[in-house]
Amino acid sequence: MPDHVHLFCAPGRYPPPKFKNWVKAIKSAVTRGWPESRTFSIWQENFWDRQIRSAKDYHERMAYMNANPVRRGLVEDWKDWPYRGKVFDLRWHDA
């Protein structure tokens, strides 16, 4: 999306880091690679998060995220959105 990011993420270690610290690290890493960020902030101060608690919720959130560029009129099919991708395949444990 042109003005926000959706992420599905899961802790890679135990105990997991505090989520707020993890988001701060992600924002910092992205900012270092964004040349224009030296003159202005590209991030809002806070973020929205949602904990996935079931396979149904997982699939609903994934469908919402995939449909976002379609709802905005940026593509006709969510599979055509050029900025989607994944680092790891995150599957719900009981899906």
Side-chain angles (χ1 to χ4, degrees):
M1 297 303 303
D3 60 356
H4 65 277
V5 176
H6 288 271
L7 299 171
F8 269 52
C9 60
R13 66 175 204 247
Y14 189 83
K18 290 184 178 179
F19 191 68
K20 187 171 187 168
N21 293 341
W22 185 83
V23 170
K24 184 178 179 180
I26 292 294
K27 286 180 175 183
S28 179
V30 170
T31 300
R32 283 192 299 275
W34 198 296
E36 294 85 8
S37 67
R38 294 184 185 103
T39 58
F40 65 91
S41 177
I42 61 173
W43 300 107
Q44 68 184 32
E45 186 174 329
N46 292 310
F47 57 90
W48 293 90
D49 63 321
R50 179 180 176 115
Q51 185 172 357
I52 305 296
R53 299 185 184 276
S54 69
K56 180 179 182 278
D57 193 22
Y58 174 93
H59 293 292
E60 287 173 355
R61 295 289 99 206
M62 186 64 77
Y64 172 85
M65 182 181 69
N66 286 334
N68 225 359
V70 176
R71 281 191 302 275
R72 294 279 299 265
L74 300 170
V75 292
E76 288 187 29
D77 186 319
W78 67 269
K79 294 175 187 166
D80 294 332
W81 182 239
Y83 305 106
R84 70 181 186 92
K86 61 183 171 183
V87 176
F88 300 104
D89 191 21
L90 294 178
R91 297 180 189 190
W92 187 255
H93 53 81
D94 64 352

